[in-house]
Amino acid sequence: MTEVRTERTERTDLYPTRGASEVLTPRRDPVVWGDAPGLESYDRDGFLVEPELLGDDEVAVYRRELDRLVADPAVRSDPRAIVESKSATVRSVFEVHRISEVFAQLVRDERVVGRAREILGSDVYVHQSRINVKPGFGASGFYWHSDFETWHAEDGLPRMRTVSVSIALTENHDTNGGLMIMPGSHRTFLGCAGATPKDNYKRSLQMQDAGTPSDEALTSLADAHGIRLFTGRAGSATWFDCNAMHGSGDNITPYPRSNVFIVFNSVENAAVEPFAAPVRRPEFIGARDFTPVR
């Protein structure tokens, strides 16, 4: 463990990253913090699939709301909207549970927040929410990464006590840029090489650079763990651990792949100052309101 000094206090960094070279650190935290049954596969693999979280009627409601938000000029001009670097189409809209009461209700749905509480063993708040829009014919993917690496380095989350859920609002085929995860990769933290540029988020949300593992490290992880591609109907959900190595490819098919993405963090793991970045990211990307979801 390395000691990191700030102007105000001395703290221990359990997961060093963004240094001169890549560093592998064994996970120092539980995967499942609660004692709810039925989470053995999540603990082992770092993910859990719910094939039918939402019914068709519910999917239609959330899909209409996604389409409305993407088409709204006020949303598009908001800093929380991220556009594709090449096509200038909307890629993601952040803090969607604050922009939209429809998605706020989804966050509060006991099928959603209740599962997060079971995994994290405490009350939870929303560290990040967004809708991802991946239309056909060229929408770009998300390169391999561990979310925790970024959230630790740039948002200041101290421990691995955070879970994400990706809820499909269109069908996930095996060809339209679906989510890929390396099962079991959540057990090892890969600290990436290279310092974090100021305002790195402005670039990384379109094309990740800082916090990207090397080809050699990714090859080693893939050889050790394999790669799982997630397919399924609209309304299916994939829960995955904050440190699972994951990514998605470009979508060059005619078929869109859109989802709502919610990150729950334990109220006992509230963000502090960034561990490896000069400044915090904006609150719409990394929340500083730790109010529990009710």
Side-chain angles (χ1 to χ4, degrees), residues 94-114:
F94 280 81
E95 213 171 41
V96 70
H97 71 296
R98 296 192 182 276
I99 294 175
S100 164
E101 178 56 30
V102 173
F103 284 113
Q105 291 175 12
L106 179 62
V107 166
R108 296 191 296 265
D109 190 313
E110 190 59 29
R111 294 171 296 178
V112 178
V113 67

Side-chain angles (χ1 to χ4, degrees), residues 92-259:
S92 302
V93 179
F94 280 81
E95 213 171 41
V96 70
H97 71 296
R98 296 192 182 276
I99 294 175
S100 164
E101 178 56 30
V102 173
F103 284 113
Q105 291 175 12
L106 179 62
V107 166
R108 296 191 296 265
D109 190 313
E110 190 59 29
R111 294 171 296 178
V112 178
V113 67
R115 176 67 79 184
R117 293 190 193 107
E118 288 177 350
I119 293 171
L120 301 181
S122 69
D123 280 334
V124 298
Y125 70 93
V126 176
H127 176 69
Q128 184 186 105
S129 73
R130 66 179 187 261
I131 48 173
N132 292 324
V133 185
K134 209 170 192 181
F137 300 118
S140 57
F142 293 84
Y143 197 67
W144 290 106
H145 63 286
S146 155
D147 286 329
F148 180 76
E149 193 281 335
T150 298
W151 299 337
H152 182 69
E154 300 185 39
D155 297 338
L157 294 193
R159 311 294 292 261
M160 292 182 184
R161 199 171 179 179
T162 315
V163 63
S164 301
V165 61
S166 173
I167 304 173
L169 300 181
T170 55
E171 185 169 355
N172 286 309
H173 303 284
D174 59 2
T175 53
N176 65 342
L179 174 67
M180 296 181 288
I181 295 179
M182 297 184 187
S185 59
H186 63 305
R187 292 286 180 180
T188 303
F189 177 74
L190 177 60
C192 296
T196 308
K198 185 178 180 180
D199 291 339
N200 178 56
Y201 77 95
K202 293 180 180 179
R203 173 176 170 80
S204 66
L205 297 178
Q206 291 180 324
M207 186 64 66
Q208 187 143 347
D209 187 10
T212 301
S214 69
D215 292 352
E216 293 77 14
L218 289 171
T219 300
S220 178
L221 286 171
D223 286 345
H225 301 292
I227 297 173
R228 167 79 181 272
L229 170 66
F230 294 88
T231 61
R233 61 176 288 277
S236 61
T238 304
W239 294 86
F240 59 100
D241 179 78
C242 58
N243 190 47
M245 190 63 67
H246 66 287
S248 64
D250 295 350
N251 181 14
I252 61 172
T253 75
Y255 311 112
R257 177 186 169 263
S258 299
N259 68 297

Side-chain angles (χ1 to χ4, degrees), residues 8 154-155 199 201 272-274 277-283 288:
R8 290 169 295 177
E154 300 185 39
D155 297 338
D199 291 339
Y201 77 95
V272 294
E273 290 305 307
V279 294
R280 301 175 182 176
R281 297 195 299 176
E283 290 193 30
R288 294 283 160 171

